[in-house]
Amino acid sequence: MAPFNILVVDDSVFMRKIISDLISENPQYKVIGTAKNGQEAIEQVKLLSPDAVTMDIEMPVMNGLDALQRIMAEQPTPVIMLSSLTQEGASETIKALEWGAVDFIRKPSGSISLDLYKVKQLLHEKLHMAVRTKLRPFLPFQQQPLSTWVNQTTLTKSKVGMMKPPDTKLAAIPGSTHFDHLVAIGTSTGGPRALHQVISNIPAGFPAPILIVQHMPPNFTKSLAQRLNDISQIQVVEAAEGDVLQTATAYVAPGGWHMIVYKDHKTYKIRLTKEDPRSGHRPSVDVMFESLLGMSELKRHIVLMTGMGSDGAKGMLSLKQSGVATTIAESEETCVVYGMPRAAVEIQAAMHVLPQQDIAVRLAQCVLN
């Protein structure tokens, strides 16, 4: 089998050499070209048609974000971003994932560091996924008009008055610690874009808390929560130990910590733990899902979206068997990687299989009826 062709983009000669050498250590991959800025990257993608691209973010002439948008618009190609560990780097990486990058790799310590050798195995894993990703047409995010919410969801007059359409930014509606419904979402590769689509379409005043596990390292989950909060009608925060769950609020599990929910008298709270990773992940979707098993007094709505592997599938099945209200798997047509949802579908854990753009509406139907 011929090796997969990879284009390496970085403004540092040293880093281009390091990354190229790391990639070439695996006979499955061949570096067919390099570029020192975003403009050259666009030209090389058109000329060489690589199977995947590694792309630095901060570069002269044209940065990696601008180049990514051009590539996804003109010749969609799987792109893995190289991200710095700074807060700004994390924020830019989240934007890149929303705009079409399939995944990212952290630079361990600055743009020119021998520490990058530490990520060789991770780089090969990301490339293995990227070259097998079937990119679909890169469509803008879809927002649901008010007519969709009213026509597709049976609402009482009081609920219509409370809910606000997700088409303009509104002042946050205060959350309540009293609720009958709870939503839990798990996702991995492709998750930031999927979460943008779903969470941005949850209306203000949504009468349930939302728990989110996204496989992502520390610092990046904070940037993800901030980004989702900026584009959403509900409040989105990175979860903290002891947080009391409230309606109209989404809680993102912090990187490096499992997130579980427990009941403390009449309130539900978040506990963060450093227990061993599950299926290689901390946070783990299964760990979060399993913490909801005993809460039969709540109508629980469980969602699995795009991602590699099977984290969350067994937990979803256990919840379905325990009598939860709803289980939803994202359909293959909108997944970047149809792994986690596929696993749930194969073991018959999913009651509904829906494209990404329909998940928020279905959740509204389930929670508001």
Side-chain angles (χ1 to χ4, degrees):
M1 180 178 174
F4 293 101
N5 295 323
I6 312 298
L7 174 68
V8 174
V9 184
D10 199 290
D11 62 321
S12 164
V13 174
F14 181 72
M15 285 299 288
R16 291 199 298 273
K17 171 65 172 171
I18 291 292
I19 297 167
S20 296
D21 288 348
L22 290 175
I23 292 172
S24 299
E25 287 186 29
N26 189 320
Q28 294 184 63
Y29 309 113
K30 177 183 178 181
V31 177
I32 58 167
T34 62
K36 63 179 180 290
N37 59 56
Q39 186 59 54
E40 287 189 7
I42 295 168
E43 295 168 359
Q44 290 289 75
V45 166
K46 292 179 179 178
L47 178 65
L48 301 174
S49 297
D51 295 302
V53 177
T54 66
M55 178 86 73
D56 192 17
I57 293 180
E58 298 180 9
M59 295 181 291
V61 183
M62 179 183 287
N63 65 38
L65 290 177
D66 291 340
L68 171 69
Q69 292 184 81
R70 287 277 302 277
I71 289 169
M72 297 309 295
E74 298 173 10
Q75 188 167 334
T77 304
V79 176
I80 297 172
M81 307 302 294
L82 294 178
S83 173
S84 70
L85 289 176
T86 65
Q87 185 64 41
E88 182 180 359
S91 178
E92 290 176 334
T93 299
I94 298 302
K95 291 180 182 178
L97 295 171
E98 289 181 359
W99 295 345
V102 295
D103 215 326
F104 73 98
I105 294 175
R106 292 178 294 169
K107 290 183 175 180
S109 58
S111 61
I112 48 175
S113 170
L114 291 175
D115 289 344
L116 192 61
Y117 281 109
K118 297 177 181 178
V119 304
K120 178 177 70 174
Q121 181 178 355
L122 186 58
L123 175 59
H124 291 166
E125 291 175 358
K126 303 289 189 183
L127 284 172
H128 178 81
M129 176 272 300
V131 298
R132 292 166 174 80
T133 298
K134 296 180 180 179
L135 293 181
R136 294 164 179 82
F138 193 74
L139 301 175
F141 294 110
Q142 299 181 27
Q143 289 208 320
Q144 302 293 345
L146 179 59
S147 59
T148 300
W149 296 97
V150 175
N151 293 340
Q152 295 189 19
T153 308
T154 303
L155 303 177
T156 65
K157 288 184 178 180
S158 62
K159 288 179 178 177
V160 170
M162 178 186 66
M163 306 301 286
K164 302 297 181 183
D167 53 2
T168 57
K169 188 68 177 177
L170 303 171
I173 296 176
S176 169
T177 58
H178 301 288
F179 47 83
D180 298 317
H181 296 261
L182 182 147
V183 175
I185 300 173
T187 187
S188 187
T189 307
R193 180 170 175 82
L195 288 169
H196 185 139
Q197 175 72 69
V198 173
I199 299 302
S200 68
N201 276 299
I202 298 294
F206 191 67
I210 300 175
L211 305 170
I212 298 171
V213 166
Q214 161 71 53
H215 295 157
M216 191 170 276
N219 196 33
F220 292 89
T221 48
K222 181 177 181 180
S223 291
L224 174 63
Q226 291 172 341
R227 175 62 177 162
L228 291 173
N229 187 64
D230 289 343
I231 53 87
S232 301
Q233 302 303 314
I234 62 172
Q235 182 181 19
V236 184
V237 299
E238 185 181 48
E241 175 69 23
D243 276 351
V244 177
L245 296 189
Q246 299 185 60
T247 60
T249 307
Y251 302 84
V252 178
W257 295 83
H258 290 309
M259 179 173 71
I260 64 175
V261 177
Y262 68 100
K263 191 171 184 179
D264 183 14
H265 300 292
K266 294 183 179 181
T267 62
Y268 296 86
K269 295 183 177 180
I270 286 175
R271 177 172 294 143
L272 303 179
T273 79
K274 281 285 190 180
E275 294 177 11
D276 291 342
R278 180 83 68 86
S279 302
H281 299 291
R282 189 173 62 205
S284 160
V285 182
D286 272 325
V287 168
M288 175 183 66
F289 283 176
E290 289 169 7
S291 74
L292 306 177
L293 277 169
M295 299 178 181
S296 58
E297 70 278 8
L298 293 177
K299 297 179 179 67
R300 294 153 292 170
H301 310 279
I302 311 302
V303 181
L304 265 182
M305 298 195 295
T306 176
M308 292 183 66
S310 61
D311 187 26
K314 290 181 180 178
M316 176 182 275
L317 179 60
S318 295
L319 285 165
K320 179 186 177 186
Q321 292 171 338
S322 75
V324 297
T326 316
T327 59
I328 300 171
E330 182 181 352
S331 60
E332 183 175 9
E333 66 190 87
T334 57
C335 283
V336 171
V337 179
Y338 189 53
M340 290 159 54
R342 181 202 295 273
V345 170
E346 288 179 347
I347 62 174
Q348 299 183 348
M351 301 175 189
H352 309 283
V353 180
L354 300 173
Q356 193 179 106
Q357 63 273 15
D358 291 348
I359 292 175
V361 170
R362 180 56 61 90
L363 287 174
Q365 292 173 332
C366 295
V367 171
L368 296 170
N369 283 346

